[in-house]
Amino acid sequence: MKFEIDLDEYLLSVEVTHCAVVEPDYRCRDSADDYYGYSELEFTITSGTVFDEDGNQTELGRNGCAAVADEHAERIEELLWKMIEDERREAA
């Protein structure tokens, strides 16, 4: 799945490489993850643009995308989960 994320001064193209939502199974005692359920998400920023105060844009490049991913990983993941949930609702 590919998404466009507007994150403050960044416009990012993000590809979700792994997404899993495992529902809780209260009959299973093999592990806490099986019992309580879990969700996990992995993503890659495939391209990005940064905008300065004047609206000028600069491409981030591979290292810039990696730096933004490291710095804003939690926020990007939150936005991705919201977008994935919105897509699921629309499909239902």
Side-chain angles (χ1 to χ4, degrees):
M1 295 182 279
K2 294 187 178 190
F3 297 96
E4 293 289 323
I5 293 182
D6 187 0
L7 184 69
D8 300 328
E9 70 270 19
Y10 302 105
L11 181 60
L12 308 171
S13 295
V14 179
E15 181 177 355
V16 174
T17 56
H18 175 75
C19 180
V21 177
V22 176
E23 298 297 324
D25 182 358
Y26 300 114
R27 296 169 289 149
C28 183
R29 305 284 185 198
D30 294 338
S31 74
D33 286 340
D34 293 328
Y35 185 80
Y36 293 109
Y38 64 93
S39 57
E40 58 187 25
L41 178 73
E42 295 176 9
F43 65 89
T44 302
I45 298 177
T46 56
S47 66
T49 305
V50 61
F51 295 89
D52 65 14
E53 300 94 24
D54 299 326
N56 300 320
Q57 62 184 23
T58 304
E59 292 299 314
L60 287 172
R62 186 184 319 182
N63 292 337
C65 289
V68 170
D70 285 342
E71 185 176 343
H72 299 285
E74 290 180 15
R75 189 152 170 233
I76 293 169
E77 190 171 325
E78 287 174 16
L79 292 169
L80 287 171
W81 277 120
K82 184 179 180 319
M83 292 173 161
I84 290 168
E85 275 300 312
D86 289 347
E87 276 193 4
R88 286 184 183 170
R89 277 191 219 115
E90 289 177 9

Coordinates of all heavy atoms in Angstrom, one line a residue:
M1 N 0.8 -1.2 0.0 CA 0.0 0.0 0.0 C 0.9 1.2 0.0 O 1.9 1.3 0.7 CB -0.9 0.0 1.3 CG -1.9 -1.1 1.3 SD -2.9 -1.0 2.8 CE -1.8 -1.7 4.0
K2 N 0.5 2.2 -0.8 CA 1.2 3.5 -0.9 C 0.3 4.6 -0.4 O -0.8 4.6 -0.7 CB 1.7 3.7 -2.3 CG 2.8 2.7 -2.7 CD 3.3 3.0 -4.0 CE 4.4 2.0 -4.4 NZ 5.2 2.4 -5.5
F3 N 1.0 5.5 0.3 CA 0.3 6.7 0.9 C 1.1 7.9 0.7 O 2.3 7.9 0.6 CB 0.0 6.5 2.4 CG -0.9 5.3 2.7 CD1 -0.4 4.1 3.0 CD2 -2.3 5.4 2.6 CE1 -1.2 3.0 3.3 CE2 -3.1 4.4 2.9 CZ -2.5 3.2 3.3
E4 N 0.4 9.1 0.6 CA 1.0 10.4 0.6 C 0.7 11.0 2.0 O -0.4 11.0 2.4 CB 0.4 11.3 -0.5 CG 0.8 10.8 -1.9 CD 2.2 11.0 -2.2 OE1 2.8 12.0 -1.8 OE2 2.7 10.2 -2.9
I5 N 1.8 11.4 2.7 CA 1.6 12.0 4.0 C 2.2 13.4 4.0 O 3.3 13.7 3.6 CB 2.4 11.1 5.1 CG1 1.7 9.8 5.2 CG2 2.4 11.8 6.4 CD1 2.4 8.9 6.2
D6 N 1.3 14.3 4.5 CA 1.7 15.7 4.7 C 2.1 15.9 6.2 O 1.2 15.8 7.1 CB 0.6 16.6 4.3 CG 0.9 18.1 4.3 OD1 2.1 18.4 4.7 OD2 0.1 18.9 4.0
L7 N 3.4 16.0 6.5 CA 3.9 16.0 7.8 C 4.7 17.3 8.0 O 5.8 17.5 7.7 CB 4.8 14.8 8.1 CG 5.4 14.6 9.4 CD1 4.2 14.2 10.4 CD2 6.4 13.5 9.4
D8 N 4.0 18.3 8.6 CA 4.6 19.6 8.8 C 5.2 20.2 7.5 O 4.5 20.4 6.6 CB 5.6 19.6 9.9 CG 5.0 19.2 11.3 OD1 3.8 19.5 11.5 OD2 5.7 18.5 12.0
E9 N 6.5 20.3 7.5 CA 7.1 20.9 6.3 C 7.5 19.8 5.2 O 8.1 20.1 4.2 CB 8.4 21.7 6.6 CG 9.6 20.9 7.1 CD 9.6 20.7 8.6 OE1 8.6 20.8 9.3 OE2 10.7 20.3 9.1
Y10 N 7.1 18.6 5.5 CA 7.5 17.5 4.6 C 6.2 16.9 3.9 O 5.2 16.8 4.5 CB 8.1 16.3 5.4 CG 9.3 16.7 6.2 CD1 9.3 16.8 7.5 CD2 10.5 16.9 5.5 CE1 10.4 17.1 8.3 CE2 11.7 17.2 6.2 CZ 11.6 17.3 7.6 OH 12.7 17.7 8.3
L11 N 6.4 16.6 2.6 CA 5.4 15.8 1.9 C 6.1 14.5 1.5 O 7.1 14.5 0.8 CB 5.0 16.6 0.6 CG 3.9 15.9 -0.2 CD1 2.7 15.7 0.6 CD2 3.6 16.7 -1.5
L12 N 5.6 13.4 2.0 CA 6.3 12.1 1.9 C 5.4 11.1 1.1 O 4.2 11.0 1.3 CB 6.5 11.5 3.3 CG 7.2 12.5 4.3 CD1 7.2 11.9 5.7 CD2 8.7 12.7 3.8
S13 N 6.1 10.3 0.3 CA 5.5 9.1 -0.3 C 6.0 8.0 0.5 O 7.2 7.7 0.6 CB 5.9 9.0 -1.8 OG 5.5 10.0 -2.5
V14 N 5.0 7.2 1.1 CA 5.3 6.2 2.0 C 4.7 4.9 1.5 O 3.6 4.8 1.1 CB 4.8 6.5 3.4 CG1 5.1 5.4 4.4 CG2 5.3 7.8 3.9
E15 N 5.5 3.8 1.5 CA 5.0 2.5 1.2 C 5.0 1.6 2.4 O 6.0 1.5 3.1 CB 5.9 1.8 0.1 CG 5.5 0.5 -0.3 CD 6.3 -0.1 -1.4 OE1 7.3 0.6 -1.9 OE2 6.1 -1.3 -1.8
V16 N 3.8 1.0 2.7 CA 3.7 0.1 3.8 C 4.2 -1.3 3.3 O 3.7 -1.8 2.4 CB 2.3 0.0 4.3 CG1 2.1 -1.1 5.4 CG2 1.8 1.4 4.8
T17 N 5.3 -1.7 4.0 CA 5.9 -3.0 3.5 C 5.4 -4.2 4.3 O 5.5 -5.3 3.8 CB 7.4 -2.9 3.7 OG1 7.8 -2.6 5.0 CG2 8.0 -1.9 2.7
H18 N 4.8 -4.0 5.5 CA 4.3 -5.0 6.3 C 3.2 -4.4 7.2 O 3.4 -3.4 7.9 CB 5.4 -5.7 7.1 CG 4.9 -6.7 8.1 ND1 4.5 -8.0 7.7 CD2 4.7 -6.7 9.4 CE1 4.1 -8.7 8.7 NE2 4.2 -7.9 9.8
C19 N 2.1 -5.1 7.3 CA 1.0 -4.7 8.1 C 0.3 -5.9 8.7 O -0.2 -6.7 7.9 CB 0.0 -3.8 7.4 SG -1.4 -3.2 8.4
A20 N 0.2 -6.1 10.0 CA -0.5 -7.2 10.6 C -1.3 -6.8 11.7 O -0.9 -6.0 12.6 CB 0.5 -8.3 11.0
V21 N -2.6 -7.2 11.8 CA -3.5 -7.0 12.9 C -3.9 -8.4 13.3 O -4.7 -9.0 12.6 CB -4.6 -6.1 12.5 CG1 -5.6 -5.9 13.7 CG2 -4.2 -4.7 12.0
V22 N -3.5 -8.8 14.5 CA -3.9 -10.1 15.0 C -4.9 -9.9 16.2 O -4.5 -9.2 17.2 CB -2.6 -10.9 15.5 CG1 -3.1 -12.2 16.1 CG2 -1.7 -11.1 14.3
E23 N -6.1 -10.4 16.0 CA -7.1 -10.2 17.0 C -6.8 -11.1 18.2 O -6.2 -12.1 18.1 CB -8.5 -10.6 16.4 CG -8.9 -9.8 15.2 CD -9.1 -8.3 15.6 OE1 -9.6 -8.0 16.7 OE2 -8.8 -7.5 14.8
P24 N -7.2 -10.7 19.4 CA -7.0 -11.5 20.6 C -7.7 -12.8 20.6 O -8.8 -12.9 20.0 CB -7.6 -10.6 21.7 CG -8.2 -9.4 21.1 CD -8.0 -9.4 19.7
D25 N -7.0 -13.8 21.1 CA -7.6 -15.2 21.2 C -7.5 -15.6 22.7 O -6.4 -16.0 23.1 CB -6.9 -16.1 20.3 CG -7.5 -17.5 20.4 OD1 -8.4 -17.8 21.1 OD2 -7.0 -18.4 19.6
Y26 N -8.5 -15.3 23.4 CA -8.5 -15.5 24.9 C -8.4 -17.0 25.3 O -8.2 -17.3 26.4 CB -9.6 -14.8 25.5 CG -9.6 -13.3 25.3 CD1 -10.6 -12.7 24.5 CD2 -8.6 -12.6 25.7 CE1 -10.6 -11.4 24.3 CE2 -8.5 -11.2 25.5 CZ -9.6 -10.6 24.7 OH -9.5 -9.3 24.5
R27 N -8.5 -17.9 24.3 CA -8.4 -19.3 24.6 C -7.0 -19.8 24.4 O -6.6 -20.8 24.9 CB -9.3 -20.2 23.6 CG -10.8 -19.9 23.8 CD -11.6 -20.5 22.7 NE -11.3 -19.7 21.5 CZ -11.3 -20.1 20.3 NH1 -11.6 -21.4 20.0 NH2 -11.1 -19.3 19.3
C28 N -6.1 -19.0 23.8 CA -4.7 -19.4 23.5 C -3.9 -18.9 24.6 O -3.9 -17.7 25.0 CB -4.3 -18.8 22.2 SG -2.6 -19.2 21.7
R29 N -3.1 -19.7 25.2 CA -2.2 -19.4 26.3 C -0.7 -19.5 25.9 O 0.2 -19.5 26.7 CB -2.4 -20.3 27.5 CG -3.8 -20.3 28.0 CD -4.2 -19.1 28.7 NE -5.5 -19.2 29.3 CZ -6.2 -18.3 29.7 NH1 -5.8 -17.1 29.6 NH2 -7.5 -18.4 30.1
D30 N -0.4 -19.6 24.6 CA 0.9 -19.8 24.1 C 1.8 -18.6 24.4 O 3.0 -18.7 24.7 CB 1.0 -20.1 22.6 CG 0.3 -21.5 22.3 OD1 0.3 -22.3 23.2 OD2 -0.1 -21.7 21.2
S31 N 1.3 -17.4 24.2 CA 2.0 -16.1 24.4 C 1.1 -15.0 24.7 O -0.1 -15.1 24.4 CB 2.9 -15.8 23.2 OG 2.1 -15.3 22.2
A32 N 1.6 -14.0 25.3 CA 0.8 -12.8 25.6 C 0.3 -12.1 24.3 O -0.9 -11.6 24.3 CB 1.5 -11.8 26.5
D33 N 1.1 -12.2 23.3 CA 0.7 -11.6 22.0 C -0.5 -12.3 21.4 O -1.4 -11.7 20.9 CB 1.8 -11.6 21.0 CG 2.9 -10.6 21.3 OD1 2.6 -9.6 22.0 OD2 4.0 -10.7 20.8
D34 N -0.5 -13.6 21.5 CA -1.6 -14.4 21.0 C -2.9 -14.1 21.9 O -4.0 -14.0 21.3 CB -1.3 -15.9 21.0 CG -0.3 -16.3 20.0 OD1 -0.2 -15.6 19.0 OD2 0.5 -17.2 20.3
Y35 N -2.7 -14.1 23.2 CA -3.8 -13.9 24.1 C -4.5 -12.5 23.9 O -5.7 -12.4 23.8 CB -3.4 -14.1 25.5 CG -4.5 -14.0 26.5 CD1 -5.3 -15.1 26.7 CD2 -4.7 -12.9 27.3 CE1 -6.3 -15.1 27.7 CE2 -5.7 -12.8 28.2 CZ -6.5 -13.9 28.4 OH -7.6 -13.9 29.3
Y36 N -3.6 -11.5 23.9 CA -4.1 -10.1 23.8 C -4.3 -9.5 22.4 O -4.9 -8.5 22.2 CB -3.2 -9.1 24.7 CG -3.3 -9.4 26.1 CD1 -2.2 -10.0 26.8 CD2 -4.4 -9.1 26.9 CE1 -2.2 -10.3 28.1 CE2 -4.5 -9.4 28.2 CZ -3.4 -10.0 28.9 OH -3.4 -10.2 30.2
G37 N -3.6 -10.2 21.5 CA -3.6 -9.6 20.1 C -2.6 -8.6 20.0 O -2.0 -8.1 20.9
Y38 N -2.3 -8.2 18.7 CA -1.3 -7.2 18.5 C -1.4 -6.6 17.1 O -2.1 -7.2 16.2 CB 0.2 -7.7 18.7 CG 0.5 -8.8 17.7 CD1 1.2 -8.5 16.5 CD2 0.3 -10.1 18.0 CE1 1.6 -9.5 15.6 CE2 0.6 -11.1 17.1 CZ 1.3 -10.8 15.9 OH 1.6 -11.8 15.1
S39 N -0.8 -5.5 16.8 CA -0.7 -5.0 15.5 C 0.7 -4.5 15.3 O 1.3 -4.0 16.2 CB -1.7 -3.8 15.3 OG -1.5 -2.8 16.2
E40 N 1.1 -4.6 14.0 CA 2.5 -4.1 13.7 C 2.5 -3.6 12.3 O 1.7 -4.0 11.5 CB 3.5 -5.2 13.9 CG 3.3 -6.5 13.0 CD 4.2 -7.6 13.3 OE1 4.8 -7.7 14.5 OE2 4.5 -8.4 12.5
L41 N 3.4 -2.6 12.1 CA 3.4 -1.9 10.8 C 4.9 -1.6 10.5 O 5.6 -1.1 11.4 CB 2.6 -0.6 10.9 CG 2.5 0.3 9.7 CD1 1.7 -0.3 8.6 CD2 2.0 1.6 10.2
E42 N 5.3 -1.8 9.3 CA 6.6 -1.4 8.8 C 6.4 -0.6 7.5 O 5.5 -0.9 6.7 CB 7.5 -2.6 8.5 CG 7.8 -3.4 9.8 CD 8.6 -4.7 9.4 OE1 9.0 -4.9 8.3 OE2 8.8 -5.5 10.4
F43 N 7.2 0.4 7.4 CA 7.1 1.3 6.2 C 8.4 1.8 5.7 O 9.4 1.7 6.4 CB 6.2 2.5 6.5 CG 6.7 3.4 7.6 CD1 7.5 4.5 7.2 CD2 6.5 3.2 8.9 CE1 8.1 5.3 8.1 CE2 7.0 4.1 9.9 CZ 7.8 5.1 9.5
T44 N 8.4 2.2 4.5 CA 9.6 2.9 3.9 C 9.1 4.1 3.2 O 8.1 4.2 2.6 CB 10.2 1.9 2.8 OG1 10.5 0.7 3.4 CG2 11.4 2.5 2.2
I45 N 9.9 5.2 3.4 CA 9.6 6.4 2.7 C 10.4 6.3 1.4 O 11.6 6.2 1.3 CB 10.1 7.7 3.5 CG1 9.4 7.8 4.9 CG2 9.9 8.9 2.7 CD1 9.9 8.9 5.7
T46 N 9.6 6.3 0.3 CA 10.2 6.1 -1.0 C 10.6 7.4 -1.6 O 11.6 7.4 -2.4 CB 9.2 5.4 -2.0 OG1 7.9 6.2 -2.0 CG2 8.9 4.0 -1.5
S47 N 10.0 8.5 -1.3 CA 10.5 9.8 -1.7 C 9.9 10.9 -0.8 O 8.9 10.7 -0.1 CB 10.1 10.1 -3.2 OG 8.7 10.2 -3.3
G48 N 10.5 12.1 -0.9 CA 10.0 13.1 0.0 C 10.4 14.5 -0.5 O 11.5 14.6 -1.2
T49 N 9.7 15.5 -0.1 CA 10.0 16.9 -0.4 C 9.9 17.7 0.9 O 9.0 17.4 1.7 CB 9.0 17.4 -1.4 OG1 9.0 16.6 -2.6 CG2 9.3 18.8 -1.8
V50 N 10.8 18.6 1.1 CA 10.8 19.5 2.3 C 10.5 20.9 1.7 O 11.0 21.3 0.7 CB 12.1 19.4 3.1 CG1 13.3 19.9 2.3 CG2 11.9 20.2 4.4
F51 N 9.7 21.7 2.5 CA 9.3 23.0 2.1 C 9.9 24.0 3.1 O 9.7 23.8 4.3 CB 7.8 23.2 2.0 CG 7.2 22.4 0.9 CD1 6.8 21.1 1.2 CD2 7.0 22.9 -0.4 CE1 6.2 20.3 0.2 CE2 6.4 22.1 -1.4 CZ 6.0 20.8 -1.1
D52 N 10.5 25.1 2.7 CA 11.0 26.1 3.6 C 9.9 27.1 3.9 O 8.8 27.0 3.4 CB 12.3 26.7 3.1 CG 12.1 27.5 1.9 OD1 11.0 27.9 1.5 OD2 13.2 27.9 1.2
E53 N 10.3 28.1 4.7 CA 9.3 29.2 5.1 C 8.7 29.9 3.9 O 7.6 30.4 4.0 CB 9.9 30.2 6.1 CG 10.4 29.6 7.3 CD 11.9 29.3 7.3 OE1 12.6 29.9 6.4 OE2 12.3 28.4 8.0
D54 N 9.5 30.0 2.8 CA 9.0 30.7 1.6 C 8.2 29.9 0.7 O 7.8 30.3 -0.4 CB 10.2 31.4 0.9 CG 11.0 32.4 1.8 OD1 10.3 33.1 2.6 OD2 12.2 32.4 1.7
G55 N 8.1 28.6 1.0 CA 7.4 27.7 0.1 C 8.2 27.0 -0.9 O 7.7 26.3 -1.8
N56 N 9.5 27.3 -0.9 CA 10.5 26.6 -1.8 C 10.6 25.2 -1.4 O 10.6 24.8 -0.3 CB 11.8 27.3 -1.8 CG 11.7 28.7 -2.2 OD1 11.0 29.1 -3.1 ND2 12.5 29.6 -1.5
Q57 N 10.7 24.3 -2.4 CA 10.8 22.9 -2.1 C 12.1 22.3 -2.6 O 12.7 22.7 -3.5 CB 9.6 22.1 -2.8 CG 9.6 22.2 -4.3 CD 8.4 21.5 -4.9 OE1 7.4 21.3 -4.3 NE2 8.5 21.1 -6.2
T58 N 12.5 21.3 -1.8 CA 13.8 20.6 -2.1 C 13.5 19.1 -1.9 O 12.9 18.7 -0.9 CB 14.9 21.0 -1.1 OG1 15.0 22.4 -1.2 CG2 16.2 20.3 -1.4
E59 N 14.0 18.3 -2.8 CA 13.8 16.8 -2.7 C 14.7 16.3 -1.6 O 15.9 16.8 -1.4 CB 14.2 16.1 -4.0 CG 13.2 16.4 -5.2 CD 11.8 15.9 -4.9 OE1 11.7 14.8 -4.4 OE2 10.9 16.7 -5.1
L60 N 14.3 15.4 -0.8 CA 15.0 14.9 0.3 C 16.1 13.9 -0.1 O 17.2 13.9 0.6 CB 14.1 14.2 1.3 CG 13.2 15.1 2.1 CD1 12.2 14.2 2.9 CD2 14.0 15.9 3.0
G61 N 15.9 13.1 -1.1 CA 16.9 12.1 -1.4 C 16.9 10.9 -0.4 O 16.1 11.0 0.6
R62 N 17.7 9.9 -0.7 CA 17.6 8.7 0.1 C 18.0 8.9 1.6 O 17.3 8.5 2.5 CB 18.5 7.6 -0.5 CG 18.4 6.3 0.2 CD 19.4 5.3 -0.3 NE 19.5 5.3 -1.7 CZ 20.3 4.5 -2.4 NH1 20.9 3.5 -1.8 NH2 20.4 4.5 -3.7
N63 N 19.1 9.6 1.8 CA 19.5 9.9 3.2 C 18.5 10.8 3.9 O 18.3 10.6 5.1 CB 20.9 10.5 3.2 CG 22.0 9.5 2.8 OD1 21.8 8.3 2.9 ND2 23.1 10.0 2.3
G64 N 18.0 11.8 3.2 CA 17.0 12.7 3.8 C 15.7 11.9 4.2 O 15.2 12.2 5.3
C65 N 15.3 11.0 3.4 CA 14.1 10.2 3.7 C 14.4 9.3 4.9 O 13.5 9.2 5.8 CB 13.7 9.4 2.5 SG 13.0 10.3 1.1
A66 N 15.5 8.7 5.0 CA 15.9 7.9 6.1 C 15.9 8.7 7.4 O 15.4 8.3 8.4 CB 17.2 7.2 5.9
A67 N 16.5 9.9 7.3 CA 16.5 10.8 8.5 C 15.1 11.2 9.0 O 14.8 11.2 10.2 CB 17.4 12.0 8.2
V68 N 14.3 11.5 8.1 CA 12.9 11.9 8.4 C 12.2 10.7 9.0 O 11.5 10.8 10.0 CB 12.1 12.4 7.2 CG1 10.6 12.6 7.5 CG2 12.7 13.8 6.8
A69 N 12.4 9.5 8.4 CA 11.8 8.3 8.9 C 12.2 8.0 10.4 O 11.4 7.6 11.2 CB 12.1 7.1 8.1
D70 N 13.5 8.2 10.7 CA 14.0 8.0 12.0 C 13.4 9.0 13.0 O 13.0 8.6 14.1 CB 15.5 8.0 12.0 CG 16.2 6.8 11.4 OD1 15.5 5.8 11.3 OD2 17.4 6.9 11.1
E71 N 13.4 10.2 12.6 CA 13.0 11.3 13.5 C 11.5 11.3 13.8 O 11.1 11.6 14.9 CB 13.4 12.7 12.9 CG 13.2 13.8 13.8 CD 13.7 15.1 13.2 OE1 14.5 15.1 12.3 OE2 13.2 16.2 13.7
H72 N 10.7 11.0 12.8 CA 9.3 11.1 12.9 C 8.5 9.7 12.8 O 7.4 9.7 12.4 CB 8.7 12.0 11.8 CG 9.3 13.4 11.9 ND1 8.9 14.3 12.8 CD2 10.2 14.0 11.2 CE1 9.5 15.5 12.7 NE2 10.4 15.3 11.7
A73 N 9.2 8.6 13.1 CA 8.7 7.3 12.9 C 7.3 7.1 13.6 O 6.4 6.6 13.0 CB 9.7 6.2 13.3
E74 N 7.2 7.5 14.9 CA 6.0 7.3 15.6 C 4.8 8.1 15.0 O 3.7 7.6 14.9 CB 6.2 7.7 17.1 CG 7.1 6.7 17.8 CD 7.3 7.1 19.3 OE1 6.5 8.0 19.8 OE2 8.3 6.6 19.9
R75 N 5.1 9.3 14.7 CA 4.0 10.1 14.1 C 3.6 9.6 12.7 O 2.4 9.6 12.4 CB 4.5 11.6 14.0 CG 3.4 12.5 13.7 CD 3.7 13.9 14.2 NE 2.7 14.8 13.6 CZ 3.0 15.9 13.0 NH1 4.2 16.3 12.9 NH2 2.1 16.7 12.5
I76 N 4.5 9.2 11.9 CA 4.2 8.6 10.6 C 3.4 7.4 10.8 O 2.4 7.2 10.1 CB 5.5 8.4 9.8 CG1 6.2 9.7 9.4 CG2 5.2 7.5 8.5 CD1 7.6 9.5 8.9
E77 N 3.8 6.5 11.7 CA 3.0 5.3 11.9 C 1.6 5.6 12.4 O 0.7 4.9 12.0 CB 3.8 4.4 13.0 CG 3.2 3.0 13.1 CD 4.0 2.1 14.0 OE1 5.3 2.2 14.0 OE2 3.4 1.3 14.7
E78 N 1.4 6.5 13.3 CA 0.1 6.9 13.7 C -0.8 7.4 12.5 O -1.9 7.0 12.4 CB 0.2 8.1 14.7 CG 0.6 7.7 16.1 CD 0.8 8.9 17.0 OE1 0.3 9.9 16.7 OE2 1.5 8.7 18.0
L79 N -0.2 8.2 11.7 CA -0.9 8.7 10.5 C -1.3 7.5 9.6 O -2.4 7.4 9.0 CB -0.1 9.7 9.8 CG 0.0 11.1 10.5 CD1 1.0 12.0 9.8 CD2 -1.3 11.8 10.6
L80 N -0.3 6.6 9.4 CA -0.6 5.4 8.5 C -1.7 4.6 9.1 O -2.6 4.1 8.3 CB 0.7 4.6 8.3 CG 1.8 5.2 7.4 CD1 3.1 4.4 7.5 CD2 1.3 5.3 6.0
W81 N -1.7 4.3 10.4 CA -2.8 3.5 10.9 C -4.1 4.2 10.7 O -5.1 3.5 10.4 CB -2.5 3.2 12.4 CG -1.6 2.1 12.7 CD1 -0.4 2.2 13.4 CD2 -1.8 0.7 12.4 NE1 0.1 0.9 13.5 CE2 -0.7 0.0 12.9 CE3 -2.7 0.0 11.7 CZ2 -0.5 -1.3 12.7 CZ3 -2.6 -1.3 11.5 CH2 -1.5 -2.0 12.0
K82 N -4.2 5.5 10.9 CA -5.4 6.2 10.6 C -5.9 6.1 9.2 O -7.0 5.8 8.9 CB -5.3 7.7 11.0 CG -6.5 8.5 10.9 CD -6.3 9.9 11.3 CE -7.5 10.8 11.2 NZ -8.4 10.6 10.1
M83 N -4.9 6.2 8.2 CA -5.3 6.1 6.8 C -5.7 4.6 6.5 O -6.7 4.4 5.7 CB -4.1 6.5 6.0 CG -3.7 7.9 6.0 SD -2.2 8.2 5.1 CE -2.3 10.0 4.9
I84 N -5.0 3.7 7.1 CA -5.4 2.3 6.8 C -6.8 2.0 7.4 O -7.6 1.3 6.7 CB -4.4 1.3 7.4 CG1 -3.1 1.4 6.6 CG2 -4.9 -0.1 7.5 CD1 -1.9 0.7 7.3
E85 N -7.1 2.5 8.6 CA -8.5 2.3 9.1 C -9.5 3.0 8.3 O -10.6 2.4 8.1 CB -8.5 2.9 10.6 CG -8.1 1.9 11.6 CD -8.9 0.6 11.6 OE1 -10.1 0.7 11.6 OE2 -8.3 -0.4 11.6
D86 N -9.2 4.2 7.8 CA -10.2 4.9 6.9 C -10.4 4.1 5.6 O -11.6 4.0 5.2 CB -9.6 6.3 6.5 CG -9.6 7.2 7.7 OD1 -10.3 6.9 8.8 OD2 -9.0 8.3 7.6
E87 N -9.4 3.5 5.1 CA -9.6 2.7 3.9 C -10.4 1.5 4.2 O -11.2 1.1 3.4 CB -8.2 2.2 3.3 CG -7.6 3.3 2.4 CD -6.4 2.7 1.6 OE1 -6.1 1.5 1.7 OE2 -5.8 3.5 0.9
R88 N -10.2 0.8 5.3 CA -11.0 -0.3 5.7 C -12.5 0.0 5.9 O -13.3 -0.7 5.4 CB -10.5 -1.0 7.0 CG -9.2 -1.7 6.8 CD -8.8 -2.4 8.1 NE -7.5 -3.0 7.9 CZ -6.8 -3.5 8.8 NH1 -7.2 -3.5 10.1 NH2 -5.6 -4.1 8.6
R89 N -12.7 1.2 6.5 CA -14.1 1.6 6.7 C -14.8 1.9 5.3 O -15.9 1.5 5.1 CB -14.2 2.8 7.5 CG -14.1 2.5 9.0 CD -14.4 3.8 9.8 NE -13.6 3.7 11.0 CZ -12.6 4.6 11.3 NH1 -12.4 5.6 10.5 NH2 -11.9 4.4 12.3
E90 N -14.1 2.5 4.4 CA -14.6 2.8 3.1 C -14.9 1.5 2.3 O -15.9 1.4 1.5 CB -13.7 3.7 2.3 CG -13.6 5.1 2.8 CD -12.6 5.9 2.0 OE1 -12.1 5.5 1.0 OE2 -12.3 7.0 2.5
A91 N -14.1 0.5 2.5 CA -14.2 -0.8 1.7 C -15.4 -1.6 2.3 O -16.0 -2.4 1.6 CB -13.0 -1.6 1.8
A92 N -15.7 -1.4 3.5 CA -16.8 -2.2 4.2 C -18.2 -1.7 3.8 O -18.5 -0.8 3.2 CB -16.7 -2.1 5.7

